Amino acid sequence: MFRQNRKAARRHRPTKEKAGAPTLSSTVKCILWAFPVTVGVGLLLLFGATALLLLTKDPDRYHSAVGLALVYLTVCIGGAVATAFCRRRFPLLCGGGTALLWVLLLTVLSFCVPREWRQDTAWSIALLQRLLLLPAALTGGWLTARRSRRRRR
């Protein structure tokens, strides 16, 4: 038979139904749903780091540095998870909300620790350590955020 010169039809992917633009309440829900996930990831990281530290000769030597690194890594992962739950939109809001929740959690837990377990750090150092959670969470949210793609011709 005779073939007609037609352009090949492009196959399009079916469009996903979108519920619309995310609102502030849906973003807060995403942040709150991401928080328990982040706590679970942080506990897994803590157990792994504890196992590694117990394999060393002096496990007490590096526990402060490893603990701080794990807190910042967990908060960074929390910002990424919150942004992913929010369909990779609003990374600053998701990261900021995650950081705020972690600051609140760590502040409340610091009042529950007995005096014998507390470190002799000044309140300014403790405040600085908590304020550094914000850039960590914002970094995690920014790394997960949607990027614009260039169209190729």
Side-chain angles (χ1 to χ4, degrees):
M1 304 272 174
F2 296 103
R3 296 175 111 182
Q4 295 178 355
N5 292 332
R6 293 185 190 176
K7 292 184 179 179
R10 293 185 184 179
R11 293 185 180 180
H12 295 285
R13 294 180 185 168
T15 58
K16 297 179 183 177
E17 293 181 16
K18 296 182 180 177
T23 60
L24 182 63
S25 64
S26 67
T27 305
V28 170
K29 285 179 189 176
C30 292
I31 294 169
L32 291 176
W33 277 107
F35 190 69
V37 173
T38 307
V39 170
V41 169
L43 286 174
L44 288 175
L45 287 173
L46 183 65
F47 289 145
T50 302
L52 286 175
L53 282 176
L54 287 174
L55 293 174
T56 62
K57 291 180 182 178
D58 188 13
D60 198 33
R61 185 174 182 184
Y62 298 111
H63 78 281
S64 297
V66 171
L68 272 177
L70 285 180
V71 167
Y72 294 132
L73 180 64
T74 302
V75 171
C76 183
I77 291 171
V81 169
T83 305
F85 280 0
C86 197
R87 291 183 271 157
R88 295 173 37 194
R89 294 184 183 196
F90 306 122
L92 295 177
L93 185 62
C94 292
T98 302
L100 179 68
L101 282 176
W102 276 100
V103 166
L104 288 174
L105 177 74
L106 293 176
T107 303
V108 168
L109 288 179
S110 69
F111 291 122
C112 299
V113 174
R115 282 195 185 267
E116 297 85 32
W117 294 0
R118 293 184 190 167
Q119 293 179 353
D120 294 329
T121 57
W123 63 271
S124 59
I125 299 296
L127 179 66
L128 179 64
Q129 288 174 348
R130 287 187 180 92
L131 285 179
L132 287 176
L133 294 175
L134 181 65
L138 291 177
T139 301
W142 178 75
L143 288 175
T144 312
R146 183 176 300 191
R147 308 256 189 319
S148 63
R149 295 181 183 174
R150 292 183 183 176
R151 291 189 177 193
R152 295 184 182 183
R153 292 185 178 195

